[in-house]
Amino acid sequence: SAVISQKPSRDICQRGTSLTIQCQVDSQVTMMFWYRQQPGQSLTLIATANQGSEATYESGFVIDKFPISRPNLTFSTLTVSNMSPEDSSIYLCSVDDRANTGELFFGEGSRLTVL
Amino acid sequence: DAKTTQPTSMDCAEGRAANLPCNHSTISGNEYVYWYRQIHSQGPQYIIHGLKNNETNEMASLIITEDRKSSTLILPHATLRDTAVYYCIVSPEYNAGKSTFGDGTTLTVKP
């Protein structure tokens, strides 16, 4: 199984600022995924991050708002730019298992509150 | 990915079996059924998955109907720590990371 660490675990941010969330995995993985979970809601996929290529964004999410980096096979960052209160959510990093059985491992999430 | 339908909430008595249903009537031939759960304030946790045969592991059993249009997750002896939101997802193995999470079932295990 993969162990995923996310930083920060939580933060309170001011409107208009940006915050970068880090995701560190204890093993090399091909694909990393970023999800958003708004208060009381289910998970929504933001983008898929492959090492060495641009992230692929889902409908409704754009690179200018959620730039992603994937510098190597164990690390990724998600930036939430120009934040507004509507961005208050839990942001989750996920990876698929090395055996390609489709099992997803999730970090504990980063809970952002935008004032 | 195919859409899944789950009851919004369920209760279960501690020590009894919890049976969580999921409908996935539009599932494709190459799509697996995955179950995850999310305990409050934690990231989702993988439970089990299967294609068409019933599966069992240390956490749960997965029963998939012969036509694959529905499935049931069984927690054989529910404990208070099993209180969580349970998500049923269908996806090809190679594309699980792009799975669509529905609203899930909130299971409350009561003493």
Side-chain angles (χ1 to χ4, degrees):
Chain A
S1 64
V3 177
I4 302 170
S5 302
Q6 283 188 236
K7 292 181 181 179
S9 58
R10 59 177 63 232
D11 207 339
I12 299 174
C13 308
Q14 296 299 316
R15 181 196 298 261
T17 63
S18 298
L19 183 78
T20 296
I21 302 166
Q22 300 179 3
C23 178
Q24 179 74 53
V25 189
D26 69 341
S27 57
Q28 294 184 340
V29 293
T30 303
M31 291 194 290
M32 297 177 76
F33 308 95
W34 287 98
Y35 286 84
R36 180 177 73 181
Q37 188 169 29
Q38 294 177 300
Q41 303 295 313
S42 184
L43 285 74
T44 301
L45 181 64
I46 298 172
T48 302
N50 292 334
Q51 193 268 337
S53 63
E54 292 280 337
T56 304
Y57 290 83
E58 298 301 305
S59 176
F61 298 95
V62 295
I63 188 172
D64 289 347
K65 177 67 175 178
F66 298 101
I68 289 171
S69 77
R70 182 79 200 274
N72 57 52
L73 292 174
T74 64
F75 187 78
S76 178
T77 67
L78 169 76
T79 299
V80 186
S81 302
N82 188 25
M83 288 185 285
S84 67
E86 292 71 34
D87 294 319
S88 297
S89 296
I90 300 173
Y91 293 86
L92 294 144
C93 172
S94 173
V95 304
D96 62 1
D97 77 307
R98 288 161 289 177
N100 286 319
T101 62
E103 176 183 340
L104 297 178
F105 297 94
F106 286 84
E108 291 300 308
S110 299
R111 182 185 295 270
L112 302 188
T113 301
V114 184
L115 303 179
Chain B
D1 290 351
K3 182 179 174 66
T4 61
T5 305
Q6 300 177 250
T8 301
S9 63
M10 294 182 64
D11 291 343
C12 178
E14 188 178 19
R16 302 296 294 272
N19 297 282
L20 291 91
C22 179
N23 287 321
H24 31 80
S25 58
T26 59
I27 191 170
S28 300
N30 66 341
E31 289 182 319
Y32 286 68
V33 181
Y34 292 84
W35 283 84
Y36 291 84
R37 73 180 183 184
Q38 187 174 27
I39 296 171
H40 183 62
S41 297
Q42 297 183 21
Q45 175 191 25
Y46 165 84
I47 300 173
I48 198 168
H49 79 286
L51 183 64
K52 54 183 178 180
N53 297 322
N54 298 338
E55 302 287 344
T56 296
N57 62 20
E58 65 279 4
M59 289 183 67
S61 295
L62 174 61
I63 308 298
I64 303 174
T65 58
E66 191 169 344
D67 64 6
R68 303 210 322 123
K69 293 184 177 182
S70 65
S71 61
T72 301
L73 178 75
I74 302 173
L75 307 177
H77 305 287
T79 71
L80 299 179
R81 289 176 296 179
D82 291 322
T83 292
V85 179
Y86 287 78
Y87 296 101
C88 168
I89 299 161
V90 293
S91 172
E93 276 191 331
Y94 59 83
N95 208 28
K98 302 192 74 173
S99 301
T100 300
F101 282 74
D103 293 332
T105 296
T106 299
L107 174 69
T108 302
V109 181
K110 298 184 174 181

